[in-house]
Amino acid sequence: MEKGAKMSEEFLSKIKGFKRTFVIHSNANPYASAAVMGNIAARSQEEGFYFRFSDNFIPMVDDFASEEFDANAAPDQIDADFKNDWVGYLRTNGFPACGLKYKDRRTPVENTMLYLNAYRRIPAMKPRIVHESRELSVPYEYSPDYEKIVALIKPGGDLKPYLSRDILKKKRPDKNDALLNSWGIQHLHFRTEGSDQLLFCVIAESDVFVIQALSHNEEYLWVNTQLVEILHRNWPELILHAKHDGLRPEDISNTKRHSLRSKNANFAVTVSDGTVYLPLAGGTMASGDSMEDRVNCDKIFSELESLWDIFPEALLR
């Protein structure tokens, strides 16, 4: 980690790409790095030591069970390889569900990171309640398109055609989305062929929080703190986990935020009433990967190791 005014462009350029390095910039808070690590640790502890596979994450749990499994076999006759089972799931189910192919030249950990990123970028098709911010202003020409999107969201329709061009057009859902990784905010196009206006929202398990429509050509669009400000004013409970009362407010210029984001460095956001927020979604590693994905990837492989440790003992009971 690095903090303070001494963080140089040269330093950021050198560490960009490091998979287990997290950088946060602050001129006003010398302990910003400790604050963000404490926040991440608290969130991880709250969610539990192990990664919890939901029914949406693994819709076909039976795929993990061998069809030739013999329940009466002696413990020393059972061949269990949970890591290999996980790789098998990624290869045959997980990656294809995201429109990807498992990359044999990459390690299981690297492939898991790609999958977690793609999975997070593509919202599960499930009904959601739509909430609109008080500041929401959709250009008149896109009003019918907005209504169509809302009508698609409510019953759980497929949003992929409206997501970033990376998803379908470029077939790269595993590519990192810096805005999503840092602030947990998705952007939708108003039309499937693309649009010069984008709709910014937070897509949760059972709700969608529509923030604002902004021009695709707006300068510093992807570090526009107005998005965080609107979340703070409308749904402070949604981002409460990222609020930090121990950090001093500071103003970071658009240019500086843009430069930091381009180098996969993080920064806190101070909204108009002085409230300070750490990266809403955990932030971005120096590699560009999501901190959340990195934590969850570690949990997955920790759990697979634990299963191997307890499996023989459980069979002997």
Side-chain angles (χ1 to χ4, degrees), residues 131-137 202 208-212 226-240 271-273 277:
H131 310 268
E132 298 176 344
S133 74
R134 293 184 293 274
E135 295 84 353
L136 178 62
S137 177
V202 172
V208 172
F209 301 88
V210 184
I211 304 171
Q212 186 58 288
Q226 176 191 355
L227 299 172
V228 179
E229 180 81 41
I230 293 174
L231 285 173
H232 169 72
R233 291 177 179 174
N234 289 266
W235 308 289
E237 69 286 351
L238 187 65
I239 56 176
L240 181 62
V271 295
S272 58
D273 66 2
Y277 287 99

Side-chain angles (χ1 to χ4, degrees), residues 106-148:
R106 296 184 180 272
T107 67
V109 169
E110 290 172 335
N111 276 299
T112 297
M113 286 293 292
L114 293 175
Y115 174 57
L116 290 174
N117 183 56
Y119 175 81
R120 193 167 38 80
R121 293 194 70 182
I122 303 173
M125 295 171 60
K126 56 189 298 185
R128 290 181 173 87
I129 300 171
V130 176
H131 310 268
E132 298 176 344
S133 74
R134 293 184 293 274
E135 295 84 353
L136 178 62
S137 177
V138 176
Y140 178 77
E141 65 177 299
Y142 289 113
S143 293
D145 304 288
Y146 173 70
E147 295 303 325
K148 288 181 182 178

Side-chain angles (χ1 to χ4, degrees), residues 22-275:
F22 185 96
V23 179
I24 184 164
H25 165 86
S26 176
N27 289 328
N29 296 284
Y31 302 109
S33 56
V36 76
M37 286 298 97
N39 181 268
I40 291 168
R43 289 177 62 184
S44 179
Q45 185 175 19
E46 181 180 343
E47 294 168 0
F49 183 70
Y50 296 120
F51 183 78
R52 301 185 182 279
F53 295 103
S54 68
D55 290 337
N56 288 321
F57 191 85
I58 299 183
M60 300 177 67
V61 179
D62 289 343
D63 289 342
F64 281 94
S66 170
E67 296 179 0
E68 299 178 358
F69 177 73
D70 181 0
N72 297 316
D76 61 355
Q77 294 178 324
I78 296 176
D79 182 16
D81 187 341
F82 297 109
K83 286 185 180 179
N84 192 55
D85 291 341
W86 171 243
V87 169
Y89 166 76
L90 291 179
R91 189 187 303 277
T92 60
N93 293 86
F95 270 66
C98 297
L100 296 168
K101 290 184 179 180
Y102 188 90
K103 299 179 179 180
D104 291 311
R105 69 178 183 277
R106 296 184 180 272
T107 67
V109 169
E110 290 172 335
N111 276 299
T112 297
M113 286 293 292
L114 293 175
Y115 174 57
L116 290 174
N117 183 56
Y119 175 81
R120 193 167 38 80
R121 293 194 70 182
I122 303 173
M125 295 171 60
K126 56 189 298 185
R128 290 181 173 87
I129 300 171
V130 176
H131 310 268
E132 298 176 344
S133 74
R134 293 184 293 274
E135 295 84 353
L136 178 62
S137 177
V138 176
Y140 178 77
E141 65 177 299
Y142 289 113
S143 293
D145 304 288
Y146 173 70
E147 295 303 325
K148 288 181 182 178
I149 291 175
V150 171
L152 185 66
I153 291 172
K154 289 181 176 180
D158 186 3
L159 290 175
K160 286 198 295 293
Y162 296 91
L163 294 174
S164 166
R165 305 296 89 179
D166 291 338
I167 306 298
L168 291 181
K169 186 175 181 180
K170 298 181 181 179
K171 301 185 186 301
R172 284 297 312 277
D174 57 337
K175 183 179 178 182
N176 280 302
D177 180 333
L179 179 63
L180 181 63
N181 289 356
S182 296
W183 293 349
I185 296 174
Q186 294 265 23
H187 67 277
L188 304 176
H189 293 259
F190 281 98
R191 296 167 183 167
T192 57
E193 66 272 20
S195 57
D196 59 358
Q197 291 281 325
L198 299 176
L199 186 67
F200 292 86
C201 56
V202 172
I203 302 178
E205 282 296 307
S206 56
D207 303 86
V208 172
F209 301 88
V210 184
I211 304 171
Q212 186 58 288
L214 297 172
S215 170
H216 202 311
N217 299 319
E218 180 180 313
E219 191 174 16
Y220 307 122
L221 175 64
W222 308 108
V223 291
N224 188 337
T225 55
Q226 176 191 355
L227 299 172
V228 179
E229 180 81 41
I230 293 174
L231 285 173
H232 169 72
R233 291 177 179 174
N234 289 266
W235 308 289
E237 69 286 351
L238 187 65
I239 56 176
L240 181 62
H241 61 273
K243 179 182 176 183
H244 203 289
D245 296 329
L247 295 178
R248 292 192 291 269
E250 65 177 311
D251 181 35
I252 302 176
S253 69
N254 290 330
T255 303
K256 185 62 176 178
R257 290 197 303 270
H258 176 76
S259 176
L260 290 168
R261 181 69 61 78
S262 70
K263 292 178 171 57
N264 299 330
N266 300 274
F267 50 87
V269 173
T270 301
V271 295
S272 58
D273 66 2
T275 301

